[in-house]
């Protein structure tokens, strides 16, 4: 990898210096465990899984197998959210918590005991502390489980979960300041510093799906005192643009609504940097998105992605609801087509970047880094 | 409507006047995130908490106005506006004072006063069916732990000198531990013995918040998926309303490992702290003037014939006489009350008064009524647990020639008038009465307590389904109360669809036959009210207004030990040391060795503090009882001297 990769990694680790990373993988597993057990408990209570044909609690091996869609019906899922039941059962199966027969039907759902749930809750607390998450994360996870019936039935939108009171504070607390975000954002800021140092003209920057601006907030300081022509902050909802206007005061910031599922605008072009933090997976076809993005770049311009490379159960009770379209699962036209996968693997992200005619310069954290357990990565590729 | 339009205008960037009332939020440019913010603004500005699912993107301004209207109608009862605000204290673990009734209970635990016990507490157990024996214990322990987070008062402690504080959640022993008796394999005899033992233990030694949690939770698992939940609650920490709130909260946490209750911003300590500003308010001063102006004409308690002087008895538990009115009778009684324009509580109070008057032989008497007394100074006050309750002294003057209905109407008016001056509580009034009369006997040893209607106020009865604890069989219960400074009290409460009334009394004080007769009379009278026949009758009250000359021991007419010391400056170093302690605590000059601690402005809580101080200064512990028997400078010095002599 490039010297930039080393410098960015160094900057990232400097930002979390002193943190004990040895328990990272265990902590990630503990967060996941809580959601998996919480989901099992929910399915036990609200679906026919784990019951005999007569509806009574069934012992192991005694309950009939069911289609995921039947379970979706039991859960009262709105049509557009029905796919989520199958998505969950797949994850539970992977974790060994539910059986799947040859026909793809599910049976033998694990019935969590109270002591198990209590332990999982306690360990989740310790885990979120170890990973540098605030109490809001714990609350968010527990609240998501509590809200499942109304999220599934679409009586409550996932926004009410992610942005309690319509304020970004909870999301901000959760998405900034934790170990992996600090590492990734500091590494990303280093990339920006490098870019600004080498540029011969004021920078032109576009951020996609900038949301509550948790990444933006860490990038802007790297631009302080540098010539910037514009930093165009975009997202789907005016809510985010409003919040950002109130929050940031750099004179070069511009704001616009932009939906990447449609098309990227042709202008502004000749961009020096396109930032997409935990949002590019929303594109129906990631390769095409990156190709279009590459076309907007000036020569030597860069795409900076912060992305997830594996869906952790931890987010199963929140993210899928944000992905459902008007009438069903998210539209996927790339390698994910025909599955309910949300993210690309690391290799897929790399080849999607390369397929767009970009040269990958940063791919972090390094393979042996304990932070890889968090499955969030920084990719930077240059045209 | 104007406020709603303004909120929409802010969120949508449209002038308020241009927002059509019949177009959905989405079509006007809103989206689901903005909708969440909208309901937050509605809550902040209009104080209306809409459900998450109430507000959708299709909602129009008209829909929203209708929703808000629905949430605000029903209207809270008109209450006196008090210029007090409750805010969370910066340090939630800081000490705060005891409220007056808490002081009474605290002092009552010091074995100094008449009719005291080592713990003032309420014990209750009730039956459970359909218990999941393998899960119940874990679920209960989990629930208690979470409850101690939700309601920090579960971690409250009282200090030896009568103040209180809440332990941090991670302090050792802060979270109450659950005890489980697994009798699932036991036979009937073993079960009977075990139940008797646990009841005996929990009735006679309640949780003591000076040493541990104010709550004791135990579970007995029985064969056939049955069980019993045992609760001991210190009256120093929890009032009657709290025990309902606690049961509800606890069962909700038991039922669901992930249940969340609406969060509480304030707790009991915040409430008590804000009351410090009360005496500066005009309302408080007006109430004090109102009470002080009638102190000298307050009657004494009903002069019930006594079998023993309260000073001489050392009760361990109180005896109970209990009667249940079946759902139909209770419903009939409520209907009768509505027709007569009195509340069921008033009817019960009047019936109690009638029985007491006939028993005591006179018609004018002072009762002590236990009031929930949560001042409406914060919207969460009703959902918080704590010892909010207060007593209210209530003089009854029953007319000789009035029907029961007429008596009840008068009682209702009197009681309403007194309750309207509730900023000064019965404990404070009682102290002033005692000071003026120079007597330290309890002023209101006959107590009336009714929580009829609480279930409705809480929005229905307690939950019956409790997850791994199965179903609560509310009608199968056992309970026991110990309240200090009470000779006899009646308690009225609802149990599901039924009504219960209990006489709780210090058996040692009364002739058993008289108690039995009085209770039978009470039950018969309430029956007659339920069937309608009792209202227009003359209840047969005695001729005399006031008690006649005492023949034998009678409540309120007991001899006062007279103590006399020669007046003058403290006679020696010991008397000077005692005078110094008095001065320091009472903040008045103490120049006379015959001056009495209470006459100088002391109260029972300060007396406990004086005893604590004397122990420190003089190195002897003076029993509260001896301090009280002669609380002059010379008298206390004499006790200290004799104790010191004993030590040598
Ligand atoms: C997980 S959040 C990340 C927010 C922000 N980049 C950060 O790092 O804090 C994903 C964001 O992508 C946005 N988003 C989702 N789908 C999108 C689309 N099709 N076009 C543009 N933005 C989209 C969402 O509105 C949300 O703000």
């Amino acid at each position: 990898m490039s010297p930039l990769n080393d410098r960015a990694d160094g900057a990232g680790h400097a930002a979390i210096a002193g943190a004990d990373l040895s328990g990272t993988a265990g902590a990630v597993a503990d967060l996941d465990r809580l959601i998996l057990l919480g989901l099992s408990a929910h399915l036990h209570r609200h679906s026919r899984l784990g019951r005999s044909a007569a509806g009574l609690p069934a012992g192991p091996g005694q309950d009939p197998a069911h289609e995921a869609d039947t379970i979706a019906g039991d859960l009262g899922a709105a049509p557009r959210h029905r796919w989520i039941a199958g998505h969950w059962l797949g994850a539970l199966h992977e974790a060994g918590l539910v059986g799947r027969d040859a026909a793809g039907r599910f049976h033998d759902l694990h019935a969590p005991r109270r002591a198990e749930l209590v332990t999982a809750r306690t360990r989740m607390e310790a885990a979120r502390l170890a990973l540098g998450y605030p109490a809001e994360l714990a609350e968010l996870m527990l609240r998501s489980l509590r809200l499942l019936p109304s999220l599934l039935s679409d009586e409550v939108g996932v926004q009410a979960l992610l942005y309690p009171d319509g304020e970004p504070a909870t999301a901000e607390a959760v998405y900034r300041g934790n170990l992996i975000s600090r590492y990734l954002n500091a590494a990303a800021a280093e990339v920006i510093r490098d870019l600004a140092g080498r540029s011969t003209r004021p920078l032109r920057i576009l951020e996609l799906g900038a949301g509550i601006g948790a990444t933006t907030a860490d990038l802007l300081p790297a631009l302080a005192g540098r010539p910037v022509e514009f930093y165009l902050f975009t997202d789907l909802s005016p809510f985010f643009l409003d919040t950002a206007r109130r929050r940031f005061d750099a004179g070069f910031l511009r704001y616009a609504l932009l939906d990447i599922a449609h098309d990227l605008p042709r202008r502004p072009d000749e961009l020096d940097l396109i930032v997409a933090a935990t949002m590019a997976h929303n594109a129906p076809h990631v390769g095409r998105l990156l190709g279009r993005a590459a076309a907007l770049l000036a020569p030597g311009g860069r795409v900076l992605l912060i992305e997830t490379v594996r869906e952790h159960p931890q987010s199963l009770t929140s993210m899928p609801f944000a992905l459902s379209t008007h009438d069903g699962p998210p539209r996927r036209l790339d390698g994910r087509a025909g599955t309910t996968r949300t993210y690309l693997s690391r290799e897929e992200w790399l080849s999607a970047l390369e397929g767009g005619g970009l040269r990958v310069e940063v791919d972090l954290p390094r393979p042996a880094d304990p932070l890889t357990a968090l499955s969030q990565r920084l990719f930077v590729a240059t045209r | 409507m104007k406020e709603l339009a303004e909120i929409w205008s802010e969120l949508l960037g449209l002038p308020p006047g241009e927002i059509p009332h019949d177009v959905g939020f989405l079509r006007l440019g809103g989206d689901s995130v903005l909708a969440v913010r909208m309901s937050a603004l509605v809550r902040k500005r209009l104080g209306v908490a809409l459900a998450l699912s109430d507000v959708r993107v299709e909602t129009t301004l008209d829909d929203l106005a209708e929703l808000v209207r629905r949430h605000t109608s029903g209207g809270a009862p008109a209450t006196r506006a008090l210029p007090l605000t409750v805010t969370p204290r910066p340090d939630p673990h800081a000490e705060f004072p005891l409220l007056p009734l808490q002081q009474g209970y605290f002092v009552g635990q010091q074995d100094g006063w008449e009719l005291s016990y080592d713990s003032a507490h309420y014990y209750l157990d009730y039956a459970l069916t359909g218990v999941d024996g393998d899960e119940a214990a874990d679920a209960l322990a989990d629930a208690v732990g979470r409850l101690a987070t939700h309601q920090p008062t579960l971690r409250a402690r009282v200090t030896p000198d009568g103040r209180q504080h809440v332990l941090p959640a991670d302090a050792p022993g802060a979270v109450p531990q659950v005890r489980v008796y697994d009798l699932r394999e036991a036979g009937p005899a073993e079960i009977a013995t075990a139940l008797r033992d646990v009841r005996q233990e929990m009735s006679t030694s309640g949780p003591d918040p000076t040493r541990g949690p104010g709550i004791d939770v135990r579970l007995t698992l029985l064969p056939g998926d049955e069980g019993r939940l045992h609760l001991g609650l210190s009256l120093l920490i929890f009032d009657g309303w709290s025990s309902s709130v606690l049961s509800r909260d606890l069962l909700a946490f038991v039922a669901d490992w992930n249940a969340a209750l609406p969060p509480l911003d304030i707790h009991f300590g915040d409430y008590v702290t804000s009351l410090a500003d009360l005496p500066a308010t005009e309302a408080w001063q007006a109430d004090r003037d109102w009470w002080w102006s009638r102190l000298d004409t307050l009657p004494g308690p009903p002069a019930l014939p006594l079998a023993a002087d309260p000073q001489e008895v050392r009760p361990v538990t109180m005896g109970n006489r209990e009667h249940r009115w079946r759902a139909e009778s209770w419903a009939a009684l409520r209907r009768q009350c509505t027709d007569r324009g009195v509340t069921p509580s008033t009817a019960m109070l009047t019936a109690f008064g009638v029985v007491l008057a006939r028993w005591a032989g006179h018609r004018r008497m002072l009762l002590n009524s236990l009031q929930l007394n949560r001042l409406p100074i914060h919207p969460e006050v009703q959902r918080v647990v704590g010892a909010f309750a207060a007593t209210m002294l209530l003089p009854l003057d029953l007319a000789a020639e009035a029907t029961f209905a007429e008596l009840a109407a008068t009682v209702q008016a009197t009681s309403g008038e007194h309750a309207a001056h509730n900023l000064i509580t019965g404990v404070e009034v009682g102290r002033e009465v005692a000071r003026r009369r120079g007597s330290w006997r309890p002023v209101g040893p006959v107590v009336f307590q009714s929580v009829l209607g609480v279930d409705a106020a809480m929005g229905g009865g307690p939950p019956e389904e409790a997850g791994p604890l199965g179903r609560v069989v509310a009608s199968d219960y056992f309970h026991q109360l110990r309240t200090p400074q009470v000779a006899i009290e009646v308690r009225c409460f609802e149990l599901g669809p039924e009504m219960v009334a209990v006489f709780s009394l210090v058996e040692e004080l009364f002739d058993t036959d008289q108690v039995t007769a009085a209770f039978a009379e009470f039950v018969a009278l309430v029956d007659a009210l339920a069937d309608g026949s009792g209202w227009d009758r003359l209840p047969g009250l005695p001729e005399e207004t006031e008690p006649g000359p005492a023949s034998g021991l009678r409540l309120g007419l007991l001899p006062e030990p007279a103590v006399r010391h020669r007046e003058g400056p403290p006679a020696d170093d010991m008397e000077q040391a005692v005078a110094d302690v008095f001065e320091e605590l009472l903040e008045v000059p103490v120049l006379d060795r015959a001056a009495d601690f209470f006459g100088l402005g002391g109260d029972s809580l300060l007396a406990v503090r004086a005893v604590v101080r004397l122990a420190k200064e003089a190195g002897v512990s003076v029993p509260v009882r001896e301090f009280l028997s002669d609380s002059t400078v010379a008298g206390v010095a004499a006790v200290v001297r004799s104790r010191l002599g004993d030590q040598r």
Side-chain angles (χ1 to χ4, degrees):
Chain A
M1 260 316 125
S2 65
L4 182 56
N5 198 59
D6 295 343
R7 282 216 311 283
D9 186 43
H13 272 291
I16 55 170
D20 174 13
L21 302 182
S22 59
T24 309
V28 170
D30 284 343
L31 295 188
D32 288 347
R33 187 84 189 154
L34 177 81
I35 294 295
L36 287 168
L37 290 179
L39 271 180
S40 306
H42 185 81
L43 287 167
H44 252 284
R45 188 145 148 197
H46 297 282
S47 83
R48 66 190 74 194
L49 280 168
R51 304 220 178 127
S52 70
L56 298 170
Q62 292 170 356
D63 62 332
H66 303 288
E67 306 277 354
D69 200 55
T70 310
I71 302 308
D74 290 350
L75 298 179
R80 71 190 198 101
H81 290 323
R82 276 183 99 93
W83 66 279
I84 294 175
H87 189 60
W88 286 345
L89 286 164
L92 290 171
H93 176 62
E94 206 172 300
L97 294 173
V98 72
R100 180 155 65 186
D101 67 13
R105 293 174 313 177
F106 297 91
H107 58 91
D108 267 317
L109 175 65
H110 172 67
R113 304 214 22 181
R114 174 66 72 107
E116 210 180 347
L117 290 161
V118 170
T119 307
R121 198 176 55 215
T122 312
R123 296 183 62 151
M124 175 269 282
E125 269 297 322
R128 64 111 186 134
L129 277 170
L131 297 176
Y133 286 103
E136 281 89 343
L137 178 77
E139 190 42 40
L140 177 72
M141 292 172 66
L142 294 170
R143 220 160 81 84
S144 70
L145 286 165
R146 230 171 267 147
L147 282 176
L148 285 180
S150 37
L151 285 168
L152 278 164
S153 65
D154 226 2
E155 271 167 83
V156 167
V158 68
Q159 287 78 9
L161 171 68
L162 299 177
Y163 311 108
D165 288 358
E167 297 292 342
T170 300
E172 169 80 12
V174 170
Y175 292 115
R176 260 184 106 188
N178 63 74
L179 277 184
I180 187 66
S181 300
R182 264 153 63 204
Y183 169 84
L184 293 172
N185 290 1
E190 182 61 26
V191 171
I192 297 221
R193 231 171 266 121
D194 175 80
L195 189 74
R198 294 194 294 129
S199 179
T200 54
R201 60 175 174 106
L203 293 173
R204 318 173 105 206
I205 303 176
L206 166 65
E207 180 169 359
L208 305 173
I212 56 165
T215 307
T216 322
D218 283 337
L219 299 185
L220 290 179
L223 293 169
R226 307 285 185 159
V228 178
E229 188 179 329
F230 60 79
Y231 187 118
L232 181 58
F233 183 107
T234 70
D235 205 291
L236 282 179
S237 164
F239 166 76
F240 297 114
L241 307 189
D242 269 2
T243 310
R245 270 194 202 100
R246 273 186 277 136
R247 172 171 185 185
F248 301 120
D249 51 12
F252 51 70
L253 275 164
R254 306 278 177 274
Y255 300 92
L257 291 174
L258 188 112
D259 181 353
I260 57 154
H262 295 148
D263 221 341
L264 289 191
R266 288 165 189 278
R267 334 213 103 238
D269 59 359
E270 295 283 302
L271 295 170
D272 298 295
L273 179 67
I274 297 180
V275 176
T278 57
M279 73 80 58
H281 58 268
N282 288 307
H285 194 296
V286 167
R288 250 173 248 161
L289 169 73
L290 294 176
R292 284 198 204 105
L296 290 175
L297 290 176
R302 285 170 174 165
V303 169
L304 187 155
L305 297 184
I306 289 177
E307 262 308 334
T308 304
V309 295
R310 181 177 159 237
E311 183 171 19
H312 280 279
Q314 180 199 324
S315 61
L316 279 175
T317 47
S318 48
M319 278 311 146
F321 297 103
L323 295 172
S324 291
T325 57
H326 190 62
D327 45 14
R331 216 159 46 103
R332 301 299 189 197
L333 307 172
D334 52 18
R336 297 169 293 174
T339 73
T340 59
R341 277 172 58 204
T342 305
Y343 303 107
L344 278 59
S345 68
R346 168 171 173 256
E347 292 70 26
E348 288 170 325
W349 282 111
L350 291 174
S351 65
L353 285 164
E354 279 156 8
L358 299 165
R359 179 167 37 86
V360 176
E361 287 196 79
V362 173
D363 171 22
L364 291 174
R366 292 176 201 280
D369 195 319
L371 292 176
T372 51
L374 288 146
S375 307
Q376 274 207 34
R377 308 192 62 81
L378 172 68
F379 300 110
V380 179
T382 305
R383 176 171 168 192
Chain B
M1 194 59 163
K2 189 163 154 282
E3 284 109 330
L4 294 179
E6 268 160 22
I7 291 173
W8 281 38
S9 131
E10 266 174 58
L11 293 171
L12 301 170
L14 300 169
E18 286 177 25
I19 298 178
H21 288 193
D22 52 354
V23 179
F25 192 64
L26 184 72
R27 293 215 6 238
L28 293 173
D31 61 24
S32 44
V33 201
L34 288 172
V36 178
R37 176 118 106 216
M38 164 175 60
S39 63
L41 288 176
V42 169
R43 198 186 59 226
K44 262 181 226 146
R45 303 215 185 136
L46 304 177
V48 174
L50 301 171
L52 282 180
S53 52
D54 276 350
V55 180
R56 328 193 50 164
V57 288
E58 300 86 25
T59 305
T60 65
L61 202 51
D62 275 339
D63 297 340
L64 186 64
E66 177 55 30
L67 273 173
V68 169
R69 220 181 343 265
R70 242 184 288 143
H71 276 267
T72 41
S73 66
T79 44
R80 236 187 323 177
L82 287 171
L84 298 182
T85 38
V86 190
T87 47
R89 294 174 302 152
D91 174 7
H93 309 299
E95 279 190 0
F96 57 100
L98 299 174
L99 288 187
L101 187 57
Q102 287 185 293
Q103 293 174 17
Y105 289 145
F106 171 73
V107 167
Q109 286 193 186
Q110 309 296 318
D111 185 35
W113 275 260
E114 268 175 46
L115 305 179
S116 61
Y117 308 85
D118 356 316
S119 60
H121 75 279
Y122 177 58
Y123 169 72
L124 167 73
D125 68 56
Y126 51 76
L128 306 164
T129 58
V131 177
D132 179 346
D134 294 333
E135 286 284 86
D138 287 339
L140 184 57
D142 172 38
V144 171
R146 285 191 287 150
L147 192 56
T149 305
H150 181 64
Q151 300 273 14
T153 301
L154 263 75
R155 297 180 255 126
R157 294 289 187 278
V158 173
T159 64
D161 67 343
R163 300 176 60 75
Q164 56 190 327
H165 61 108
V166 169
L167 291 176
D170 55 4
V175 177
Q177 296 299 304
V178 173
R179 252 184 278 181
V180 179
Y181 306 103
D182 189 347
L183 302 181
R184 281 178 289 174
E185 308 292 327
E190 193 186 335
I191 290 171
T193 314
L195 268 184
R196 203 192 52 224
D197 289 352
V198 67
R199 282 176 177 162
Q200 170 70 16
E201 184 200 335
M202 291 185 79
S203 305
T204 54
S205 64
D208 177 359
T210 61
R211 275 179 228 139
I215 181 172
D216 183 356
V217 184
R218 306 188 196 179
L219 173 68
T220 302
L221 296 172
L222 297 170
D225 293 339
E226 304 211 327
R228 291 196 87 83
L229 187 65
H230 311 263
L231 290 173
L233 296 174
S234 165
L235 299 180
L236 247 157
I237 305 292
F238 304 107
D239 60 13
W241 179 271
S242 298
S243 80
S244 298
V245 173
L246 275 184
S247 294
R248 273 157 224 259
D249 288 3
L250 184 70
L251 294 181
F253 283 135
V254 166
D256 182 353
W257 75 279
N258 192 24
L261 298 169
L264 298 169
D265 287 332
I266 58 134
H267 300 289
F268 183 58
D270 306 320
Y271 175 90
V272 173
T273 304
S274 79
L275 291 190
D277 297 332
L278 195 54
T281 63
E282 270 175 38
W284 185 90
Q285 283 157 13
D287 279 8
R288 196 202 35 201
D289 293 347
W290 189 89
W291 279 105
W292 267 216
S293 73
R294 57 199 67 220
L295 285 186
D296 296 329
T297 53
L298 282 180
L304 302 174
L306 295 179
D309 185 324
Q311 228 160 33
E312 309 301 328
V313 303
R314 294 298 188 96
V316 178
T317 56
M318 296 176 85
N320 285 340
R321 304 288 187 283
E322 179 159 342
H323 187 83
R324 283 196 207 185
W325 282 266
R326 304 238 314 268
E328 311 82 75
S329 318
W330 169 220
L333 177 61
R334 284 198 309 265
R335 266 195 312 279
Q336 290 288 340
C337 287
T338 312
D339 290 350
R340 304 285 175 162
V342 298
T343 65
S345 289
T346 299
M348 301 303 275
L349 171 58
T350 312
F352 188 48
V354 163
V355 169
L356 289 169
R358 290 168 48 86
W359 187 0
H362 63 105
R363 292 179 282 106
R364 214 170 83 86
M365 62 183 69
L366 189 66
L367 297 191
N368 204 348
S369 156
L370 197 63
Q371 306 285 100
L372 296 173
N373 214 53
R374 295 178 176 223
L375 301 177
I377 50 181
H378 190 280
E380 289 168 9
V381 163
Q382 303 294 344
R383 290 197 284 125
V384 176
V385 301
F388 294 83
T391 53
M392 174 177 91
L393 293 179
L394 181 62
L396 291 190
D397 196 348
L398 304 173
E401 295 303 319
T403 63
F404 187 90
E406 288 160 353
L407 291 175
T410 314
V411 166
Q412 179 145 305
T414 311
S415 142
E417 189 193 2
H418 284 71
H421 298 90
N422 63 342
L423 299 183
I424 305 286
T425 71
V427 171
E428 294 151 288
V429 176
R431 270 184 204 146
E432 181 63 15
V433 170
R435 204 183 59 77
R436 293 192 190 184
R437 291 184 187 161
S439 158
W440 316 116
R441 303 253 190 196
V443 173
V446 178
V447 175
F448 173 81
Q449 183 182 358
S450 161
V451 288
L452 297 176
V454 161
D455 281 354
M458 286 203 160
E464 293 189 343
E465 289 293 339
L469 283 192
R471 283 176 61 80
V472 172
V473 188
S475 58
D476 179 0
Y477 71 98
F478 172 90
H479 65 170
Q480 180 72 51
L481 181 75
R482 285 203 320 199
T483 357
Q485 311 229 348
V486 173
I488 178 166
E489 75 173 12
V490 65
R491 269 177 298 137
C492 311
F493 54 95
E494 281 163 279
L495 201 69
E498 305 188 333
M499 179 187 65
V500 185
V502 188
F503 277 18
S504 279
L505 58 135
V506 177
E507 298 274 7
E508 292 87 337
L509 289 183
F510 298 99
D511 177 308
T512 308
D513 294 342
Q514 290 184 9
V515 174
T516 308
F519 189 64
E521 215 174 84
F522 178 76
V523 170
L525 181 47
V526 176
D527 282 342
L529 296 175
D531 72 25
S533 65
W535 296 87
D536 298 315
R537 278 208 298 252
L538 297 181
L541 292 176
E543 300 263 300
E544 289 74 21
T545 315
E546 303 291 345
S551 54
L553 289 173
R554 319 200 93 199
L555 199 59
L557 302 173
L558 295 161
E560 296 287 344
V563 204
R564 282 257 143 263
H565 291 282
R566 185 176 39 79
E567 292 176 11
D572 57 16
D573 288 354
M574 183 60 73
E575 291 189 4
Q576 188 57 54
V578 171
D580 289 348
V581 168
F582 281 23
E583 253 183 34
E584 192 192 320
L585 286 165
L586 304 176
E587 294 172 1
V588 291
V590 179
L591 306 171
D592 180 3
R593 61 190 294 277
D596 176 274
F597 187 78
F598 295 92
L600 290 164
D603 60 36
S604 49
L605 181 66
L606 288 168
V608 172
R609 293 201 179 136
V611 165
V612 172
R613 283 310 299 260
L614 286 170
K616 230 183 266 164
E617 308 265 308
V620 288
S621 70
V622 174
V624 178
R625 214 168 254 262
E626 289 187 27
F627 182 99
L628 293 178
S629 68
D630 179 356
S631 54
T632 59
V633 172
V636 173
V639 174
V640 173
R641 221 177 282 114
S642 86
R643 287 268 149 181
L644 277 173
D646 290 352
Q647 274 182 4
R648 287 203 195 101

